[in-house]
Amino acid sequence: MEALESTMRREEEIIGHGTWYDKIAAEIIERERKLGRGLDVINVESGVAASGIPHIGSFSEVTRNYAVSLAIKEQGYETRFILFSDNKDGLRSVPAGMPDSLKKYLGFPVTDIPDPFGCHESYGDHMISLLIDAIEEAGIEYTLIKGSDAYAQGLLNEEIRILLENAKRVGQIVKEETGQEKYLEVLPYFPVCESCGRIYTTKAYKFLPDENKILYRCEGMEIKHKWIEGCGYEGEADYTKGEGKLAWKAGEFAARWRALEIKFEAYGKDIADSVRVNDRICREILGYEPPMHAQYEMFLDKGGRKISKSKGNVFTPQLWFKYGSPQSMILLTLKRFVGTRNVSVDDIPRYMDELDELEDIYFGRRKIGDPKERAKLMGLYKYCWFMNPPEKPSIHVPYNLLVSLARVAPEGSEYQFIADKLRRYGYLKNSLTADLRKRIAYALNWVRDFEEAAEATIELNEIERKAITELVEKLRSTEDPNIIQSSIFEIARANGIKPKRFFQTLYRILLGTPYGPRLGPYLIDMGRENAIRALTRSLTRQNT
RNA sequence: GGGCCCGUAGCUCAGUCAGGUAGAGCGCCGGGCUCUUAACCCGGGGGUCGGGGGUUCAAAUCCCUCCGGGCCCGCCA
């Protein structure tokens, strides 16, 4: 009786699809209702950097905010998801893996730096396009606003004017919240130097409200413990023409929130201070109640393996997509919002399998007793597909099994080999599905990049050498897998070797592991000539 | 100096944000199969949920506190 009541009570409590995103959405709606701001369109923003290679953190910034936006929609309200690209930000350092020639552009707005790869209009465009590619592959619908356009089109004009008119109070708030006194003296606006093109080197010292102008000197600035020299130029910038940008910490967020009527923005803890300052500026100076927030922890690289060492690359969505589906990566980013995440490529198989598990739950193939838990997991699955889940479940093959098969799949006929095995194991009835082909491709990439099996040198005694020589002769005489299979046993016994031991030796020679697929067919699958060569090589190696 | 996160089985971690019988994978032990795909299947051991206090009918979960590990901010973005 009690249990029944509590079950019913819990069932009634389920909000939306039962996830954290649904709960946040409900809170946003409730908050807006109380504020009386109108609920016709509820905007959610995600601000993304364009100054470095987009990594897993940039991706999750977008997916998390987008999920909230979707949750709002699921509760029957119109919403718009805005992706704001900070491409007016200056280049502060040359990211690892980027050409050294970028050094001369330190301090330049990234939208003004030529694309070192030559495929986009600017360095900033190149970077943001990498992120856009990933989120489009993930199926995210967004409205992109580039900082450069926003400023050039005067989107923030009114807010900039108010902030400049109230620069003293802005400076005071920054000081109170962070202890930094800089903006008590400097205007919260960085003009782009008309002479040298740098942005952080300028010091804005006077605002001329009647002319929409800001007077500045190009003095230079210390960024990341390095001094970026200014050119000494003195000039004036017209803020209505986008000849500069607001200081991020001293009101730029606030200006965006008000101008774009943002009602929610989740952010990483690294910018917590800036958000706190901007909340106050937004409320106290711009007269706009700031959006609701959620703070999330960062993603940290575990490092290791071959990845960062050989290629010096950060953990990018593109990297993930080599070994796992977009949905598996979305799962990683949406599953939890609390807690620091240490991620590495090692985790990809786990998330691939977990997604299959969620799919089973979603399609009712796996029962979850607790209705709340069930709703949450089904909801999570739907969010992983951003509310467009497949109509039918896919064929689920454990990632590790595919990796094992990929490891031993003969070169040139990988898909056929793996499909054969999968049919034998009962995973597959007919031909490969498109989804399964992708999964196989992931596993093949995995094996190729992480498990390049060194053909081990094995200590062979005289008897084993004789046995292997006999096997090679046998291989030359037949193509019948079953005969070969039997021969292995026969040869082993004839030479007084336990078959099991002989198999292990052969696996070590061919695969580097003491186990493997049924050898008779495999030796044919891998190409009889290849097999003979590998076995012969193992004999000659002994002699050196 | 300010803030945040983590501590759960031998290992890696879920579970904590919506309190309701402590879980998974790997590893380990035993068994099935043994002219063999490593797989897989069945069974097993194993945890004072970092310590202490509090709230509650009920706490890994909420609150306070202490210990240990880590991160972010304190320039700029």
Side-chain angles (χ1 to χ4, degrees):
Chain A
M1 187 65 183
E2 249 178 52
L4 182 65
E5 266 175 14
S6 74
T7 301
M8 286 174 66
R9 193 165 62 243
R10 268 178 281 151
E11 199 154 14
E12 283 170 315
E13 278 170 18
I14 294 171
I15 301 165
H17 301 285
T19 69
W20 171 73
Y21 305 95
D22 301 283
K23 200 183 155 203
I24 284 278
E27 283 173 26
I28 295 165
I29 293 160
E30 180 58 24
R31 179 171 181 265
E32 290 303 317
R33 201 189 304 280
K34 277 186 187 154
L35 288 170
R37 286 206 277 217
L39 294 159
D40 34 328
V41 183
I42 300 176
N43 294 321
V44 174
E45 181 190 41
S46 198
V48 290
S51 50
I53 296 168
H55 48 83
I56 191 165
S58 331
F59 185 78
S60 75
E61 154 79 28
V62 176
T63 58
R64 286 166 166 163
N65 276 301
Y66 182 60
V68 171
S69 178
L70 273 184
I72 291 169
K73 191 177 167 193
E74 289 296 302
Q75 286 177 39
Y77 295 86
E78 211 174 305
T79 177
R80 194 161 66 120
F81 177 62
I82 295 167
L83 199 61
F84 195 99
S85 159
D86 286 311
N87 70 350
K88 290 281 280 189
D89 291 358
L91 185 69
R92 290 165 294 153
S93 60
V94 179
M98 288 288 147
D100 247 16
S101 58
L102 279 171
K103 264 189 185 161
K104 61 175 178 285
Y105 292 111
L106 285 175
F108 278 72
V110 292
T111 185
D112 293 339
I113 301 171
D115 181 3
F117 304 98
C119 45
H120 293 84
E121 281 184 21
S122 70
Y123 174 91
D125 272 3
H126 183 96
M127 291 305 177
I128 202 70
S129 79
L130 291 174
L131 182 64
I132 298 280
D133 288 350
I135 70 174
E136 290 198 340
E137 186 149 1
I140 291 173
E141 290 175 23
Y142 60 94
T143 303
L144 177 68
I145 299 180
K146 292 183 188 178
S148 52
D149 293 337
Y151 282 101
Q153 292 162 9
L155 211 64
L156 306 175
N157 281 354
E158 196 180 329
E159 287 77 17
I160 297 171
R161 182 181 53 76
I162 299 171
L163 289 172
L164 290 173
E165 281 171 348
N166 295 278
K168 278 280 171 295
R169 281 169 61 205
V170 170
Q172 189 60 35
I173 290 173
V174 173
K175 189 194 163 190
E176 283 172 24
E177 293 295 332
T178 70
Q180 188 187 2
E181 300 186 354
K182 171 178 173 172
Y183 292 104
L184 288 171
E185 294 166 25
V186 190
L187 295 172
Y189 188 89
F190 287 109
V192 177
C193 178
E194 203 187 332
S195 171
C196 73
R198 294 187 172 82
I199 186 163
Y200 295 140
T201 49
T202 58
K203 180 178 170 183
Y205 61 90
K206 191 167 178 58
F207 174 45
L208 305 176
D210 298 337
E211 301 167 55
N212 300 332
K213 278 180 181 165
I214 296 135
L215 304 184
Y216 66 89
R217 269 188 300 275
C218 188
E219 294 182 346
M221 186 189 270
E222 186 186 329
I223 289 178
K224 291 199 170 181
H225 311 296
K226 272 188 182 171
W227 180 258
I228 297 179
E229 190 63 49
C231 69
Y233 181 79
E234 288 206 29
E236 48 184 48
D238 185 335
Y239 71 83
T240 64
K241 292 180 182 163
E243 294 175 352
K245 74 181 281 284
L246 288 165
W248 194 357
K249 189 192 292 172
E252 178 170 36
F253 292 166
R256 255 149 58 176
W257 293 335
R258 193 183 100 143
L260 301 172
E261 295 185 65
I262 303 300
K263 308 294 168 62
F264 177 80
E265 177 163 8
Y267 61 88
K269 79 169 178 184
D270 53 329
I271 62 162
D273 281 355
S274 297
V275 170
R276 201 173 63 248
V277 172
N278 274 279
D279 276 350
R280 275 193 63 187
I281 291 172
C282 199
R283 185 181 295 124
E284 295 173 28
I285 297 175
L286 295 180
Y288 179 83
E289 186 60 25
M292 201 174 100
H293 299 297
Q295 182 179 314
Y296 56 82
E297 289 279 323
M298 319 298 297
F299 282 89
L300 301 174
D301 293 357
K302 252 182 242 174
R305 283 230 147 149
K306 293 180 183 173
I307 299 300
S308 50
K309 276 183 195 166
S310 57
K311 294 167 187 163
N313 47 5
V314 288
F315 199 166
T316 62
Q318 281 75 17
L319 185 66
W320 186 290
F321 295 162
K322 279 169 79 177
Y323 315 110
S325 66
Q327 286 70 38
S328 66
M329 186 169 177
I330 295 166
L331 173 60
L332 164 75
T333 64
L334 295 188
K335 187 181 174 184
R336 281 204 310 175
F337 74 99
V338 291
T340 307
R341 313 299 304 273
N342 291 84
V343 283
S344 80
V345 285
D346 297 339
D347 300 325
I348 293 175
R350 206 149 40 87
Y351 284 102
M352 287 292 284
D353 289 344
E354 186 173 341
L355 193 71
D356 283 345
E357 217 178 299
L358 289 177
E359 189 168 270
D360 283 339
I361 293 164
Y362 176 76
F363 284 106
R365 294 165 146 191
R366 199 176 139 179
K367 305 293 178 199
I368 300 289
D370 181 18
K372 223 153 78 171
E373 183 72 7
R374 185 173 58 238
K376 189 171 91 178
L377 294 174
M378 285 174 68
L380 182 57
Y381 178 74
K382 281 184 272 189
Y383 280 108
C384 284
W385 284 96
F386 293 131
M387 293 301 151
N388 294 307
E391 287 172 15
K392 290 180 194 166
S394 54
I395 296 170
H396 297 174
V397 182
Y399 197 96
N400 283 339
L401 175 58
L402 286 178
V403 167
S404 302
L405 292 173
R407 192 180 292 139
V408 298
E411 217 172 316
S413 56
E414 292 93 343
Y415 288 84
Q416 195 195 327
F417 175 86
I418 294 173
D420 275 354
K421 296 290 177 190
L422 292 179
R423 269 186 286 266
R424 190 176 310 170
Y425 305 160
Y427 285 101
L428 188 60
K429 288 205 180 73
N430 305 308
S431 53
L432 287 175
T433 60
D435 175 69
L436 209 42
R437 291 193 85 85
K438 276 187 207 162
R439 290 174 186 244
I440 292 170
Y442 294 142
L444 288 168
N445 286 342
W446 181 276
V447 170
R448 186 197 60 219
D449 293 349
F450 305 126
E451 299 189 10
E452 271 174 52
E455 208 176 86
T457 304
I458 314 290
E459 290 289 321
L460 298 176
N461 60 34
E462 279 310 309
I463 296 169
E464 286 168 330
R465 296 168 55 76
K466 180 162 170 281
I468 290 171
T469 309
E470 288 174 23
L471 177 58
V472 170
E473 279 164 22
K474 194 76 198 175
L475 273 171
R476 290 212 168 97
S477 70
T478 179
E479 283 189 3
D480 187 323
N482 290 324
I483 293 178
I484 295 169
Q485 180 73 19
S486 312
S487 303
I488 296 171
F489 283 93
E490 284 158 13
I491 291 168
R493 291 200 185 100
N495 287 286
I497 308 172
K498 278 187 182 169
K500 183 170 181 167
R501 163 109 186 124
F502 191 44
F503 271 101
Q504 287 177 342
T505 305
L506 293 173
Y507 285 126
R508 283 219 174 80
I509 291 167
L510 298 166
L511 300 168
T513 56
Y515 46 77
R518 194 177 163 86
L519 264 181
Y522 182 70
L523 290 172
I524 297 304
D525 284 339
M526 74 180 284
R528 204 158 53 118
E529 287 310 312
N530 293 334
I532 290 167
R533 257 197 301 276
L535 292 172
T536 310
R537 242 192 334 263
S538 77
L539 293 171
T540 51
R541 255 187 219 171
Q542 292 293 300
N543 298 330
T544 56

